[in-house]
Amino acid sequence: MSFPLFYRRPVVLNAQRHADIWIEEDGHQFSFARQTNAVRINMQEFVSASSEYPVVFVRGGKSWFPVAILGLRDKTNNFVSADGRWLGDYTPAYVRRYPFALVATGEGDNRLCVDAGHPGINRAGRGQPLFANGAPSPYLQEVIDFMRQYETDRMATEAFASSLAHLDLLQAMHVDAFVKGGASMRLGPFYIVDRPFLNSLSNSRLGELVRTGEMDTIIAHLHSQRAFRRLIDMHGQH
């Protein structure tokens, strides 16, 4: 079983073994993401995220998927403050879902896991119970619903990204960043939708992108590239 980013001791939840487990969450504490300079993001988030984070595409094996860039250097997240607060107005769903995750077991299904290393996990009755009378508590049911929707959005996003790649719309790019003091760095390579390639599509293909709403997603992605300037400024302040 492979585990995702952030998780130190993920365990599959079980109504019998974890009947007395409670979780106390601090909705303003994101120290766990401090050393993460990019997170996956779903297409349904592009519009909300585009004014704050550059959204680019990367390739993992045979799959394409978008990420929101949070820092210019490895293990640096400019959107987590020294005391663990999230500095952006929009927090990506990948971050908000912690400490829960749906994890593939290798047996063709997904299991709901929780990070046992989360400081809010307790048996002292603090926060919210995970189970009640052998069934998910109302709190955990909300988590399950959120995770199912997240998984649905993730699969749709991977299909969307693969479609863009199939249309040859994703082109490699670098960003040259110049920060205070004269320092410079080159970011990438990563991939963005190429405007000339997009404009060269047939009217029928462009119309299909408009009808499905994918054009709005593409426009939000292109708009998000302006956020590199903000990210560079934040890097200079750090």
Side-chain angles (χ1 to χ4, degrees), residues 78-91:
N78 291 339
F79 287 90
V80 176
S81 68
D83 60 354
R85 291 177 298 108
W86 193 267
L87 299 178
D89 291 330
Y90 179 77
T91 308

Side-chain angles (χ1 to χ4, degrees), residues 2-58:
S2 59
F3 296 112
L5 185 68
F6 302 148
Y7 298 79
R8 294 175 292 172
R9 289 192 291 125
V11 295
V12 176
L13 284 174
N14 178 280
Q16 285 71 45
R17 289 198 302 270
H18 303 117
D20 59 344
I21 294 295
W22 291 56
I23 183 167
E24 186 176 35
E25 289 191 281
D26 183 346
H28 302 287
Q29 181 53 245
F30 295 94
S31 296
F32 63 87
R34 179 172 284 119
Q35 294 186 335
T36 302
N37 71 336
V39 294
R40 291 184 64 145
I41 192 168
N42 289 329
M43 59 187 292
Q44 294 79 5
E45 302 178 81
F46 278 26
V47 172
S48 297
S50 61
S51 63
E52 298 194 84
Y53 317 110
V55 176
V56 300
F57 291 86
V58 297

Side-chain angles (χ1 to χ4, degrees), residues 7 9 82 96 113-114 124 136 141 146 151 164 178 201 232:
Y7 298 79
R9 289 192 291 125
R96 283 185 280 119
C113 294
V114 67
Q141 188 58 54
F146 176 83
E151 191 66 12
L164 295 181
F178 299 91
L201 292 180
I232 292 169

Side-chain angles (χ1 to χ4, degrees), residues 142-186:
E142 287 186 8
V143 170
I144 293 171
D145 294 343
F146 176 83
M147 296 306 305
R148 286 175 174 167
Q149 185 61 54
Y150 180 89
E151 191 66 12
T152 297
D153 292 347
R154 182 191 65 79
M155 291 189 292
T157 299
E158 287 193 6
F160 167 68
S162 295
S163 176
L164 295 181
H166 180 72
L167 292 171
D168 291 326
L169 290 177
L170 297 181
Q171 300 297 315
M173 68 165 291
H174 291 82
V175 171
D176 292 311
F178 299 91
V179 297
K180 291 181 179 179
S184 63
M185 63 184 73
R186 168 161 277 205

